[in-house]
mmCIF file of all heavy atoms in Angstrom:
data_model
loop_
_atom_site.group_PDB
_atom_site.id
_atom_site.type_symbol
_atom_site.label_atom_id
_atom_site.label_comp_id
_atom_site.label_asym_id
_atom_site.label_seq_id
_atom_site.Cartn_x
_atom_site.Cartn_y
_atom_site.Cartn_z
ATOM 1 N N GLU A 857 7.208 -7.398 -8.568
ATOM 2 C CA GLU A 857 6.421 -6.437 -7.780
ATOM 3 C C GLU A 857 5.094 -6.211 -8.496
ATOM 4 O O GLU A 857 5.050 -5.658 -9.574
ATOM 5 C CB GLU A 857 7.191 -5.120 -7.615
ATOM 6 C CG GLU A 857 6.492 -4.191 -6.642
ATOM 7 C CD GLU A 857 7.335 -2.988 -6.324
ATOM 8 O OE1 GLU A 857 8.547 -3.097 -6.491
ATOM 9 O OE2 GLU A 857 6.781 -1.980 -5.884
ATOM 10 N N ARG A 858 4.032 -6.705 -7.915
ATOM 11 C CA ARG A 858 2.734 -6.645 -8.566
ATOM 12 C C ARG A 858 1.672 -6.681 -7.469
ATOM 13 O O ARG A 858 1.961 -6.802 -6.314
ATOM 14 C CB ARG A 858 2.541 -7.831 -9.493
ATOM 15 C CG ARG A 858 2.603 -9.193 -8.757
ATOM 16 C CD ARG A 858 2.555 -10.354 -9.767
ATOM 17 N NE ARG A 858 2.529 -11.628 -9.095
ATOM 18 C CZ ARG A 858 3.591 -12.263 -8.649
ATOM 19 N NH1 ARG A 858 4.779 -11.716 -8.768
ATOM 20 N NH2 ARG A 858 3.498 -13.424 -8.064
ATOM 21 N N VAL A 859 0.442 -6.526 -7.882
ATOM 22 C CA VAL A 859 -0.658 -6.642 -6.954
ATOM 23 C C VAL A 859 -0.768 -8.103 -6.540
ATOM 24 O O VAL A 859 -1.010 -8.972 -7.355
ATOM 25 C CB VAL A 859 -1.976 -6.158 -7.596
ATOM 26 C CG1 VAL A 859 -3.125 -6.317 -6.589
ATOM 27 C CG2 VAL A 859 -1.851 -4.710 -8.011
ATOM 28 N N SER A 860 -0.566 -8.396 -5.250
ATOM 29 C CA SER A 860 -0.522 -9.762 -4.779
ATOM 30 C C SER A 860 -1.887 -10.207 -4.323
ATOM 31 O O SER A 860 -2.865 -9.472 -4.307
ATOM 32 C CB SER A 860 0.473 -9.897 -3.641
ATOM 33 O OG SER A 860 -0.072 -9.258 -2.485
ATOM 34 N N ASP A 861 -1.993 -11.513 -3.946
ATOM 35 C CA ASP A 861 -3.237 -12.047 -3.417
ATOM 36 C C ASP A 861 -3.641 -11.344 -2.155
ATOM 37 O O ASP A 861 -4.815 -11.368 -1.769
ATOM 38 C CB ASP A 861 -3.102 -13.562 -3.154
ATOM 39 C CG ASP A 861 -2.902 -14.326 -4.475
ATOM 40 O OD1 ASP A 861 -3.305 -13.799 -5.504
ATOM 41 O OD2 ASP A 861 -2.351 -15.442 -4.410
ATOM 42 N N ARG A 862 -2.691 -10.781 -1.416
ATOM 43 C CA ARG A 862 -3.001 -10.060 -0.213
ATOM 44 C C ARG A 862 -3.568 -8.678 -0.492
ATOM 45 O O ARG A 862 -3.974 -7.951 0.396
ATOM 46 C CB ARG A 862 -1.735 -9.912 0.654
ATOM 47 C CG ARG A 862 -1.209 -11.236 1.174
ATOM 48 C CD ARG A 862 0.106 -11.081 1.865
ATOM 49 N NE ARG A 862 0.007 -10.092 2.930
ATOM 50 C CZ ARG A 862 0.972 -9.272 3.263
ATOM 51 N NH1 ARG A 862 2.105 -9.299 2.610
ATOM 52 N NH2 ARG A 862 0.821 -8.419 4.244
ATOM 53 N N GLY A 863 -3.594 -8.306 -1.813
ATOM 54 C CA GLY A 863 -4.305 -7.120 -2.204
ATOM 55 C C GLY A 863 -3.459 -5.861 -2.104
ATOM 56 O O GLY A 863 -2.266 -5.892 -1.904
ATOM 57 N N VAL A 864 -4.173 -4.755 -2.296
ATOM 58 C CA VAL A 864 -3.544 -3.429 -2.269
ATOM 59 C C VAL A 864 -4.181 -2.647 -1.096
ATOM 60 O O VAL A 864 -5.356 -2.763 -0.829
ATOM 61 C CB VAL A 864 -3.790 -2.713 -3.580
ATOM 62 C CG1 VAL A 864 -3.320 -1.258 -3.506
ATOM 63 C CG2 VAL A 864 -3.134 -3.441 -4.730
ATOM 64 N N ASP A 865 -3.366 -1.903 -0.411
ATOM 65 C CA ASP A 865 -3.907 -1.030 0.628
ATOM 66 C C ASP A 865 -4.645 0.088 -0.148
ATOM 67 O O ASP A 865 -3.997 0.986 -0.679
ATOM 68 C CB ASP A 865 -2.764 -0.445 1.448
ATOM 69 C CG ASP A 865 -3.249 0.109 2.776
ATOM 70 O OD1 ASP A 865 -4.434 0.016 3.070
ATOM 71 O OD2 ASP A 865 -2.392 0.652 3.499
ATOM 72 N N PRO A 866 -5.952 0.010 -0.282
ATOM 73 C CA PRO A 866 -6.643 0.826 -1.276
ATOM 74 C C PRO A 866 -6.796 2.264 -0.844
ATOM 75 O O PRO A 866 -7.085 2.601 0.296
ATOM 76 C CB PRO A 866 -8.007 0.139 -1.359
ATOM 77 C CG PRO A 866 -8.223 -0.455 -0.011
ATOM 78 C CD PRO A 866 -6.866 -0.833 0.515
ATOM 79 N N ALA A 867 -6.627 3.168 -1.813
ATOM 80 C CA ALA A 867 -6.988 4.570 -1.688
ATOM 81 C C ALA A 867 -6.632 5.171 -0.353
ATOM 82 O O ALA A 867 -7.485 5.629 0.388
ATOM 83 C CB ALA A 867 -8.471 4.728 -1.957
ATOM 84 N N GLN A 868 -5.345 5.129 0.000
ATOM 85 C CA GLN A 868 -4.920 5.846 1.192
ATOM 86 C C GLN A 868 -4.997 7.338 0.936
ATOM 87 O O GLN A 868 -4.308 7.836 0.095
ATOM 88 C CB GLN A 868 -3.484 5.465 1.557
ATOM 89 C CG GLN A 868 -3.350 4.206 2.360
ATOM 90 C CD GLN A 868 -1.980 4.078 2.972
ATOM 91 O OE1 GLN A 868 -1.132 4.907 2.790
ATOM 92 N NE2 GLN A 868 -1.735 3.001 3.697
ATOM 93 N N SER A 869 -5.850 8.020 1.658
ATOM 94 C CA SER A 869 -5.982 9.446 1.485
ATOM 95 C C SER A 869 -5.336 10.185 2.665
ATOM 96 O O SER A 869 -5.354 9.699 3.789
ATOM 97 C CB SER A 869 -7.478 9.839 1.399
ATOM 98 O OG SER A 869 -8.139 9.467 2.579
ATOM 99 N N GLY A 870 -4.758 11.308 2.379
ATOM 100 C CA GLY A 870 -4.020 12.031 3.387
ATOM 101 C C GLY A 870 -2.602 11.522 3.520
ATOM 102 O O GLY A 870 -2.204 10.575 2.858
ATOM 103 N N MET A 871 -1.836 12.153 4.381
ATOM 104 C CA MET A 871 -0.420 11.836 4.498
ATOM 105 C C MET A 871 -0.209 10.471 5.153
ATOM 106 O O MET A 871 0.680 9.737 4.788
ATOM 107 C CB MET A 871 0.264 12.912 5.298
ATOM 108 C CG MET A 871 1.781 12.775 5.385
ATOM 109 S SD MET A 871 2.508 12.974 3.744
ATOM 110 C CE MET A 871 4.251 12.952 4.165
ATOM 111 N N PHE A 872 -1.048 10.130 6.139
ATOM 112 C CA PHE A 872 -0.758 8.944 6.934
ATOM 113 C C PHE A 872 -1.866 7.895 6.859
ATOM 114 O O PHE A 872 -1.724 6.825 7.479
ATOM 115 C CB PHE A 872 -0.559 9.345 8.423
ATOM 116 C CG PHE A 872 0.478 10.393 8.615
ATOM 117 C CD1 PHE A 872 0.121 11.685 8.926
ATOM 118 C CD2 PHE A 872 1.815 10.097 8.473
ATOM 119 C CE1 PHE A 872 1.089 12.674 9.096
ATOM 120 C CE2 PHE A 872 2.783 11.080 8.654
ATOM 121 C CZ PHE A 872 2.426 12.378 8.954
ATOM 122 N N GLY A 873 -2.898 8.149 6.119
ATOM 123 C CA GLY A 873 -3.982 7.154 6.025
ATOM 124 C C GLY A 873 -4.897 7.149 7.212
ATOM 125 O O GLY A 873 -5.765 6.273 7.331
ATOM 126 N N ALA A 874 -4.742 8.090 8.149
ATOM 127 C CA ALA A 874 -5.599 8.149 9.316
ATOM 128 C C ALA A 874 -6.987 8.646 8.945
ATOM 129 O O ALA A 874 -7.155 9.418 8.020
ATOM 130 C CB ALA A 874 -4.993 9.016 10.380
ATOM 131 N N LYS A 875 -7.983 8.148 9.672
ATOM 132 C CA LYS A 875 -9.374 8.559 9.412
ATOM 133 C C LYS A 875 -10.000 9.021 10.726
ATOM 134 O O LYS A 875 -9.586 8.651 11.800
ATOM 135 C CB LYS A 875 -10.162 7.395 8.841
ATOM 136 C CG LYS A 875 -9.631 6.884 7.511
ATOM 137 C CD LYS A 875 -10.448 5.677 7.014
ATOM 138 C CE LYS A 875 -9.860 5.140 5.714
ATOM 139 N NZ LYS A 875 -10.600 3.953 5.255
ATOM 140 N N GLY A 876 -11.053 9.845 10.583
ATOM 141 C CA GLY A 876 -11.810 10.226 11.777
ATOM 142 C C GLY A 876 -11.262 11.446 12.507
ATOM 143 O O GLY A 876 -11.780 11.806 13.553
ATOM 144 N N SER A 877 -10.190 12.028 11.994
ATOM 145 C CA SER A 877 -9.653 13.221 12.644
ATOM 146 C C SER A 877 -9.190 14.192 11.568
ATOM 147 O O SER A 877 -8.815 13.780 10.482
ATOM 148 C CB SER A 877 -8.492 12.876 13.586
ATOM 149 O OG SER A 877 -7.499 12.178 12.914
ATOM 150 N N GLY A 878 -9.232 15.479 11.856
ATOM 151 C CA GLY A 878 -8.882 16.472 10.893
ATOM 152 C C GLY A 878 -7.445 16.329 10.422
ATOM 153 O O GLY A 878 -6.508 16.257 11.236
ATOM 154 N N ASP A 879 -7.230 16.285 9.099
ATOM 155 C CA ASP A 879 -5.859 16.197 8.558
ATOM 156 C C ASP A 879 -5.299 17.601 8.447
ATOM 157 O O ASP A 879 -5.729 18.400 7.604
ATOM 158 C CB ASP A 879 -5.901 15.515 7.187
ATOM 159 C CG ASP A 879 -4.501 15.284 6.619
ATOM 160 O OD1 ASP A 879 -3.532 15.825 7.179
ATOM 161 O OD2 ASP A 879 -4.420 14.606 5.581
ATOM 162 N N THR A 880 -4.390 17.928 9.305
ATOM 163 C CA THR A 880 -3.802 19.293 9.315
ATOM 164 C C THR A 880 -2.417 19.310 8.669
ATOM 165 O O THR A 880 -1.694 20.298 8.805
ATOM 166 C CB THR A 880 -3.725 19.812 10.756
ATOM 167 O OG1 THR A 880 -2.830 18.969 11.519
ATOM 168 C CG2 THR A 880 -5.082 19.838 11.402
ATOM 169 N N SER A 881 -2.045 18.253 7.986
ATOM 170 C CA SER A 881 -0.693 18.185 7.421
ATOM 171 C C SER A 881 -0.593 18.952 6.130
ATOM 172 O O SER A 881 0.510 19.229 5.662
ATOM 173 C CB SER A 881 -0.302 16.713 7.186
ATOM 174 O OG SER A 881 -1.156 16.136 6.187
ATOM 175 N N GLY A 882 -1.745 19.270 5.521
ATOM 176 C CA GLY A 882 -1.690 19.925 4.208
ATOM 177 C C GLY A 882 -1.713 18.902 3.078
ATOM 178 O O GLY A 882 -1.708 19.272 1.918
ATOM 179 N N TYR A 883 -1.742 17.618 3.431
ATOM 180 C CA TYR A 883 -1.727 16.574 2.406
ATOM 181 C C TYR A 883 -3.078 15.866 2.349
ATOM 182 O O TYR A 883 -3.160 14.703 1.953
ATOM 183 C CB TYR A 883 -0.635 15.537 2.706
ATOM 184 C CG TYR A 883 0.759 16.055 2.497
ATOM 185 C CD1 TYR A 883 1.445 16.700 3.507
ATOM 186 C CD2 TYR A 883 1.407 15.910 1.270
ATOM 187 C CE1 TYR A 883 2.732 17.177 3.327
ATOM 188 C CE2 TYR A 883 2.680 16.379 1.054
ATOM 189 C CZ TYR A 883 3.336 16.999 2.088
ATOM 190 O OH TYR A 883 4.611 17.488 1.912
ATOM 191 N N GLY A 884 -4.157 16.546 2.735
ATOM 192 C CA GLY A 884 -5.463 15.906 2.799
ATOM 193 C C GLY A 884 -5.942 15.414 1.469
ATOM 194 O O GLY A 884 -6.725 14.461 1.370
ATOM 195 N N GLY A 885 -5.485 16.019 0.355
ATOM 196 C CA GLY A 885 -5.907 15.579 -0.961
ATOM 197 C C GLY A 885 -5.069 14.503 -1.573
ATOM 198 O O GLY A 885 -5.340 14.047 -2.699
ATOM 199 N N LEU A 886 -4.012 14.068 -0.916
ATOM 200 C CA LEU A 886 -3.122 13.068 -1.420
ATOM 201 C C LEU A 886 -3.777 11.689 -1.410
ATOM 202 O O LEU A 886 -4.328 11.257 -0.420
ATOM 203 C CB LEU A 886 -1.833 13.007 -0.593
ATOM 204 C CG LEU A 886 -0.760 12.011 -1.003
ATOM 205 C CD1 LEU A 886 -0.194 12.367 -2.367
ATOM 206 C CD2 LEU A 886 0.331 11.926 0.026
ATOM 207 N N VAL A 887 -3.727 10.992 -2.532
ATOM 208 C CA VAL A 887 -4.253 9.633 -2.631
ATOM 209 C C VAL A 887 -3.177 8.737 -3.162
ATOM 210 O O VAL A 887 -2.572 9.000 -4.229
ATOM 211 C CB VAL A 887 -5.501 9.558 -3.551
ATOM 212 C CG1 VAL A 887 -5.976 8.116 -3.708
ATOM 213 C CG2 VAL A 887 -6.639 10.429 -3.016
ATOM 214 N N ARG A 888 -2.898 7.648 -2.441
ATOM 215 C CA ARG A 888 -1.821 6.754 -2.828
ATOM 216 C C ARG A 888 -2.344 5.315 -2.909
ATOM 217 O O ARG A 888 -3.158 4.894 -2.104
ATOM 218 C CB ARG A 888 -0.679 6.820 -1.840
ATOM 219 C CG ARG A 888 0.054 8.156 -1.769
ATOM 220 C CD ARG A 888 1.164 8.107 -0.750
ATOM 221 N NE ARG A 888 0.643 7.868 0.586
ATOM 222 C CZ ARG A 888 1.217 7.083 1.510
ATOM 223 N NH1 ARG A 888 2.325 6.446 1.202
ATOM 224 N NH2 ARG A 888 0.691 6.913 2.686
ATOM 225 N N ARG A 889 -1.821 4.561 -3.831
ATOM 226 C CA ARG A 889 -2.065 3.107 -3.903
ATOM 227 C C ARG A 889 -0.716 2.399 -3.884
ATOM 228 O O ARG A 889 0.209 2.815 -4.559
ATOM 229 C CB ARG A 889 -2.826 2.741 -5.147
ATOM 230 C CG ARG A 889 -4.212 3.361 -5.217
ATOM 231 C CD ARG A 889 -4.985 2.941 -6.464
ATOM 232 N NE ARG A 889 -5.308 1.528 -6.419
ATOM 233 C CZ ARG A 889 -6.412 1.046 -5.863
ATOM 234 N NH1 ARG A 889 -7.259 1.856 -5.280
ATOM 235 N NH2 ARG A 889 -6.680 -0.242 -5.857
ATOM 236 N N GLN A 890 -0.621 1.343 -3.086
ATOM 237 C CA GLN A 890 0.642 0.646 -2.932
ATOM 238 C C GLN A 890 0.487 -0.813 -3.297
ATOM 239 O O GLN A 890 -0.267 -1.540 -2.651
ATOM 240 C CB GLN A 890 1.165 0.771 -1.497
ATOM 241 C CG GLN A 890 2.488 0.070 -1.247
ATOM 242 C CD GLN A 890 2.960 0.196 0.173
ATOM 243 O OE1 GLN A 890 2.217 0.725 1.016
ATOM 244 N NE2 GLN A 890 4.121 -0.283 0.475
ATOM 245 N N ALA A 891 1.181 -1.254 -4.337
ATOM 246 C CA ALA A 891 1.146 -2.649 -4.729
ATOM 247 C C ALA A 891 2.121 -3.426 -3.869
ATOM 248 O O ALA A 891 3.301 -3.060 -3.743
ATOM 249 C CB ALA A 891 1.491 -2.795 -6.189
ATOM 250 N N LEU A 892 1.652 -4.494 -3.263
ATOM 251 C CA LEU A 892 2.528 -5.334 -2.445
ATOM 252 C C LEU A 892 3.266 -6.347 -3.317
ATOM 253 O O LEU A 892 2.732 -6.786 -4.350
ATOM 254 C CB LEU A 892 1.707 -6.057 -1.376
ATOM 255 C CG LEU A 892 0.937 -5.183 -0.411
ATOM 256 C CD1 LEU A 892 0.088 -6.029 0.551
ATOM 257 C CD2 LEU A 892 1.886 -4.283 0.380
ATOM 258 N N PRO A 893 4.479 -6.716 -2.970
ATOM 259 C CA PRO A 893 5.182 -7.725 -3.768
ATOM 260 C C PRO A 893 4.472 -9.060 -3.729
ATOM 261 O O PRO A 893 3.895 -9.442 -2.705
ATOM 262 C CB PRO A 893 6.582 -7.808 -3.094
ATOM 263 C CG PRO A 893 6.374 -7.286 -1.726
ATOM 264 C CD PRO A 893 5.285 -6.265 -1.829
ATOM 265 N N GLY A 894 4.462 -9.754 -4.844
ATOM 266 C CA GLY A 894 3.751 -11.029 -4.957
ATOM 267 C C GLY A 894 4.471 -12.181 -4.265
ATOM 268 O O GLY A 894 5.649 -12.081 -3.878
ATOM 269 N N GLU A 895 3.765 -13.290 -4.144
ATOM 270 C CA GLU A 895 4.318 -14.474 -3.501
ATOM 271 C C GLU A 895 5.379 -15.127 -4.403
ATOM 272 O O GLU A 895 5.189 -15.252 -5.607
ATOM 273 C CB GLU A 895 3.200 -15.463 -3.198
ATOM 274 C CG GLU A 895 3.679 -16.723 -2.512
ATOM 275 C CD GLU A 895 2.534 -17.668 -2.186
ATOM 276 O OE1 GLU A 895 1.352 -17.239 -2.297
ATOM 277 O OE2 GLU A 895 2.797 -18.847 -1.847
ATOM 278 N N ALA A 896 6.481 -15.509 -3.802
ATOM 279 C CA ALA A 896 7.563 -16.181 -4.537
ATOM 280 C C ALA A 896 7.306 -17.672 -4.627
ATOM 281 O O ALA A 896 6.639 -18.267 -3.778
ATOM 282 C CB ALA A 896 8.921 -15.921 -3.864
ATOM 283 N N GLN A 897 7.841 -18.324 -5.657
ATOM 284 C CA GLN A 897 7.673 -19.742 -5.835
ATOM 285 C C GLN A 897 9.065 -20.410 -5.774
ATOM 286 O O GLN A 897 10.064 -19.910 -6.259
ATOM 287 C CB GLN A 897 7.056 -20.039 -7.230
ATOM 288 C CG GLN A 897 5.681 -19.384 -7.426
ATOM 289 C CD GLN A 897 4.654 -19.873 -6.424
ATOM 290 O OE1 GLN A 897 4.624 -21.060 -6.081
ATOM 291 N NE2 GLN A 897 3.767 -18.989 -6.010
ATOM 292 N N ALA A 898 9.084 -21.590 -5.133
ATOM 293 C CA ALA A 898 10.333 -22.359 -5.047
ATOM 294 C C ALA A 898 10.738 -22.860 -6.415
ATOM 295 O O ALA A 898 9.861 -23.113 -7.238
ATOM 296 C CB ALA A 898 10.164 -23.494 -4.048
ATOM 297 N N PRO A 899 12.041 -23.061 -6.682
ATOM 298 C CA PRO A 899 13.172 -22.785 -5.785
ATOM 299 C C PRO A 899 13.462 -21.297 -5.674
ATOM 300 O O PRO A 899 13.344 -20.572 -6.647
ATOM 301 C CB PRO A 899 14.326 -23.543 -6.428
ATOM 302 C CG PRO A 899 13.976 -23.561 -7.896
ATOM 303 C CD PRO A 899 12.478 -23.667 -7.944
ATOM 304 N N TYR A 900 13.898 -20.887 -4.477
ATOM 305 C CA TYR A 900 14.140 -19.474 -4.238
ATOM 306 C C TYR A 900 15.584 -19.040 -4.557
ATOM 307 O O TYR A 900 15.875 -17.911 -4.762
ATOM 308 C CB TYR A 900 13.827 -19.155 -2.771
ATOM 309 C CG TYR A 900 12.459 -19.636 -2.356
ATOM 310 C CD1 TYR A 900 12.322 -20.607 -1.355
ATOM 311 C CD2 TYR A 900 11.296 -19.149 -2.970
ATOM 312 C CE1 TYR A 900 11.056 -21.039 -0.972
ATOM 313 C CE2 TYR A 900 10.059 -19.603 -2.591
ATOM 314 C CZ TYR A 900 9.936 -20.565 -1.584
ATOM 315 O OH TYR A 900 8.710 -20.991 -1.216
ATOM 316 N N GLY A 901 16.498 -20.035 -4.502
ATOM 317 C CA GLY A 901 17.897 -19.786 -4.798
ATOM 318 C C GLY A 901 18.766 -19.764 -3.582
ATOM 319 O O GLY A 901 18.402 -19.171 -2.557
ATOM 320 N N GLY A 902 19.952 -20.416 -3.664
ATOM 321 C CA GLY A 902 20.947 -20.377 -2.614
ATOM 322 C C GLY A 902 20.447 -20.879 -1.290
ATOM 323 O O GLY A 902 19.654 -21.805 -1.174
#
């Protein structure tokens, strides 16, 4: 589990990552970064 070539969904702010509308959830200051799992290499097993 690492930052993959597909990148990271950067700086998601707020509870749901929505933009352009008032965040009324109370989580407006929340900032999250999510590392996507990296690409696997053969053989994969079984």
Side-chain angles (χ1 to χ4, degrees):
E857 187 170 339
R858 61 187 183 278
V859 178
S860 71
D861 293 337
R862 294 173 55 214
V864 173
D865 199 2
Q868 275 194 0
S869 60
M871 187 64 173
F872 306 106
K875 299 178 182 178
S877 56
D879 183 353
T880 62
S881 65
Y883 289 88
L886 180 66
V887 177
R888 294 179 299 141
R889 297 181 69 87
Q890 181 180 5
L892 300 177
E895 181 178 348
Q897 301 298 323
Y900 309 117

